[in-house]
Amino acid sequence: MKHIAFDGRLVVIGFGSIGQGVMPLILRHIDIDPTRITIITADERGHDVANEYELRFINQALTQEDYRPRLSAMLGKGDFLLNLSVDVSSVALVGLCRELGVLYLDTCIEPWPGGYTDPSLSPSHRTNYALRETMMRQRCDGPASTALITHGANPGLVSHFVKQALLNVAADTGVTEAIPADRAGWAALAQRLGVKVIHVAERDTQVADRPKERGEFVNTWSIDGFVGEGCQPVELGWGSHEKALPADGRRHDFGCDSAIYLMRPGASQQVRTWTPTEGPFHGFLITHSEAISISDYLTVREGDTVTYRPTCHYAYHPCDDAVKSVHELAGKEWVQQPRQRLMMSEITGGIDELGVLLAGHAKGAYWYGSQLSVGEARSLAPHNNATSLQVTVAVLAGMVWVMENPQRGIVEPDEIDFRRILEICRPYLGPVVGAYTDWTPLDGRGTLFPEDIDTSDPWQFRNIRVL
Ligand code: NAD
């Protein structure tokens, strides 16, 4: 089914796992002439896929010096820039698209190379919080061409899962209210339900017929992307129920103040979480912009005082070979391995279980999300694994929404129509399930090695954090 027709030009920056995976979906569901599509990348990966679809392929990295003249020559009013790269500044691209009247979508707010680990920047300024604040400063009043930022799976799709999960918990706990119409309505609903914590809880069980080798980083999506964000400080949306800031926790002295950061890299910090298939597990608290935007979106204020906000963060157990890769990376003091391998055709089985865990309400905790197997992903779309398809279908859905809403300026996933996005994504997500659990992060604690835990409230971050 074609969701929409688009007669403008489409420039895609980056053609790695997400770029290659989204192309068959774009050509299947958007009525677009392939001769109007150009790909700009910094390496040869995916050249064969571009040839398969007869797309123009330019292997010449964009730089801070040349991105403006090069893109201005290729794009004009009503065209579309799809940014699926690493190492190209999203803020710079959004600014240029606004000037040119070009539609825009990305899946992550990326800085120019080195921005995540620039030693001249304070930890506070190396966070996704700071990148988001810089992006948001570009917002202006009045109509402007739409730039949908951070719309992959997470960030992206999970913001829509949160809304559906809130409605499901409301229905199951006898809270009968109309579907909220705006930000204030969603925040009031989350507060009324008593949601204290939202985890983006992900367990990737995909395995390959080739084990990870020494000196090799293996993952099911961008290795550069994962290492970059894994080396940024831990970040989490900071809830109003939290009793004490962690000893290594810091607040920012600018911006909306919805999040804190810890003075350590995300890939060195684990947290307790839960998904239906895996049950309880430890995931990495990698920084992601949804942790900041969801907490900000669901904040309730009276005057200047925050009266409600959930704690929100990622809890990510990547595939087992990626866990081994992180362990090796940390042991080399975060100097990246000389080789990397993005797992694709060698994957022999497993699922990506990706959803949101809403906890602290009347029924304990509730997980809602996608349990997509690699086999189903391959049967649904070429050039994808389970991880990439959850991202690429969200990119497709976001592009359709942008084309349908071309004059909305800079928008985040939390601010757009969740039902339209879920409708487009649903056929590609495998089983989409909701499951309640009475698990809490206090389960099984304190017997072998008693820890300093707070038994009066299981959903304190102090209990969730693995020390
Ligand atoms: P990848 O590493 O497989 O590919 C990155 C691409 O960027 C490559 O084609 C590379 O050549 C290109 N690139 C690098 N520098 C460039 C430059 N200067 N100019 C032009 N192209 C350049 O990454 P991926 O897995 O495809 O991920 C792409 C982006 O999507 C990353 O920002 C990643 O963080 C993000 N992502 C988001 C989600 C989500 O759910 N929101 C999930 C996966 C990936």
Side-chain angles (χ1 to χ4, degrees):
M1 169 188 179
K2 300 283 185 198
H3 294 296
I4 196 163
F6 185 70
D7 59 8
R9 291 172 291 183
L10 170 64
V11 172
V12 183
I13 308 178
F15 208 54
S17 71
I18 306 305
Q20 293 173 50
V22 78
M23 202 44 77
L25 299 180
I26 290 174
L27 294 170
R28 190 183 292 172
H29 291 295
I30 297 177
D31 188 3
I32 182 171
D33 176 357
T35 64
R36 309 275 284 164
I37 302 177
T38 303
I39 293 157
I40 303 176
T41 78
D43 62 59
E44 273 301 297
R45 281 185 301 147
H47 204 151
D48 52 338
V49 177
N51 288 344
E52 178 188 335
Y53 297 119
E54 299 183 7
L55 310 176
R56 190 171 164 220
F57 185 91
I58 303 171
N59 174 4
Q60 187 189 352
L62 289 170
T63 66
Q64 210 161 345
E65 291 70 39
D66 72 9
Y67 79 97
R68 289 184 68 91
R70 284 178 61 193
L71 292 175
S72 302
M74 291 179 173
L75 291 164
K77 194 170 169 46
D79 292 335
F80 203 115
L81 178 61
L82 177 60
N83 176 21
L84 302 174
S85 65
V86 295
D87 284 349
V88 181
S89 162
S90 305
V91 170
L93 294 179
V94 167
L96 181 63
C97 284
R98 155 103 57 74
E99 284 172 37
L100 298 175
V102 167
L103 305 173
Y104 175 89
L105 183 143
D106 64 31
T107 57
C108 175
I109 307 179
E110 287 276 342
W112 290 112
Y116 288 137
T117 49
D118 183 347
S120 72
L121 295 177
S122 69
S124 169
H125 285 91
R126 284 190 273 113
T127 58
N128 284 334
Y129 178 95
L131 285 166
R132 175 175 182 260
E133 288 292 332
T134 309
M135 180 67 87
M136 290 308 172
R137 278 199 290 276
Q138 295 202 79
R139 273 185 164 176
C140 59
D141 294 333
S145 55
T146 303
L148 176 55
I149 57 168
T150 64
H151 204 275
N154 58 313
L157 182 60
V158 292
S159 290
H160 312 302
F161 283 165
V162 166
K163 287 182 176 167
Q164 188 60 58
L166 286 170
L167 295 178
N168 295 355
V169 173
D172 295 341
T173 54
V175 174
T176 48
E177 280 181 13
I179 296 178
D182 56 14
R183 194 201 67 74
W186 287 106
L189 178 61
Q191 180 180 35
R192 172 143 188 227
L193 295 174
V195 174
K196 292 180 174 173
V197 159
I198 300 177
H199 287 179
V200 175
E202 177 175 7
R203 174 62 167 113
D204 180 350
T205 65
Q206 290 169 97
V207 286
D209 57 11
R210 217 176 122 188
K212 171 191 147 21
E213 294 175 7
R214 274 183 67 208
E216 183 186 45
F217 199 112
V218 178
N219 196 18
T220 52
W221 62 280
S222 178
I223 286 109
D224 291 331
F226 184 27
V227 171
E229 66 189 23
C231 291
Q232 282 179 277
V234 171
E235 282 184 270
L236 59 158
W238 193 240
S240 50
H241 72 290
E242 301 287 359
K243 294 178 189 169
L245 196 68
D248 58 350
R250 304 281 186 276
R251 298 200 97 105
H252 302 274
D253 58 10
F254 59 95
C256 69
D257 199 35
S258 70
I260 64 164
Y261 63 101
L262 308 185
M263 293 295 287
R264 56 187 298 163
S268 74
Q269 180 60 63
Q270 289 187 293
V271 284
R272 297 177 172 86
T273 194
W274 185 94
T275 60
T277 306
E278 183 67 31
F281 66 94
H282 289 182
F284 292 111
L285 202 175
I286 305 289
T287 178
H288 260 200
S289 65
E290 74 269 22
I292 300 148
S293 75
I294 291 172
S295 289
D296 192 14
Y297 191 77
L298 296 180
T299 297
V300 178
R301 285 191 174 80
E302 279 169 25
D304 288 340
T305 309
V306 172
T307 53
Y308 169 76
R309 175 185 292 140
T311 288
C312 181
H313 57 79
Y314 197 14
Y316 179 35
H317 191 312
C319 69
D320 291 358
D321 273 352
V323 173
K324 287 188 210 162
S325 304
V326 168
H327 184 71
E328 186 182 48
L329 175 71
K332 303 295 177 193
E333 301 303 342
W334 310 106
V335 175
Q336 207 172 330
Q337 287 92 330
R339 283 170 293 119
Q340 47 178 257
R341 176 161 52 90
L342 210 151
M343 280 161 58
M344 198 53 78
S345 58
E346 70 266 48
I347 299 175
T348 53
I351 68 168
D352 203 322
E353 187 170 46
L354 168 67
V356 292
L357 184 77
L358 275 55
H361 49 77
K363 284 176 73 78
Y366 177 71
W367 186 93
Y368 182 81
S370 151
Q371 299 171 324
L372 182 62
S373 73
V374 66
E376 187 169 0
R378 283 180 177 144
S379 72
L380 288 166
H383 310 303
N384 277 281
N385 58 34
T387 310
S388 72
L389 190 56
Q390 290 166 330
V391 182
T392 55
V393 72
V395 171
L396 169 76
M399 289 180 72
V400 171
W401 184 88
V402 169
M403 290 170 185
E404 290 171 343
N405 298 273
Q407 283 292 296
R408 296 282 289 268
I410 299 172
V411 278
E412 291 188 299
D414 312 278
E415 298 168 313
I416 71 173
D417 180 359
F418 78 105
R419 275 166 300 197
R420 179 69 176 134
I421 299 296
L422 290 180
E423 175 187 60
I424 296 171
C425 291
R426 192 69 191 246
Y428 288 97
L429 295 177
V432 174
V433 306
Y436 287 97
T437 176
D438 58 8
W439 170 83
T440 81
L442 296 181
D443 285 5
R445 304 278 291 282
T447 46
L448 292 179
F449 299 99
E451 281 187 66
D452 173 28
I453 56 179
D454 182 343
T455 51
S456 68
D457 178 9
W459 302 111
Q460 291 292 308
F461 180 65
R462 172 172 156 192
N463 294 331
I464 288 164
R465 183 176 190 178
V466 178
L467 294 172

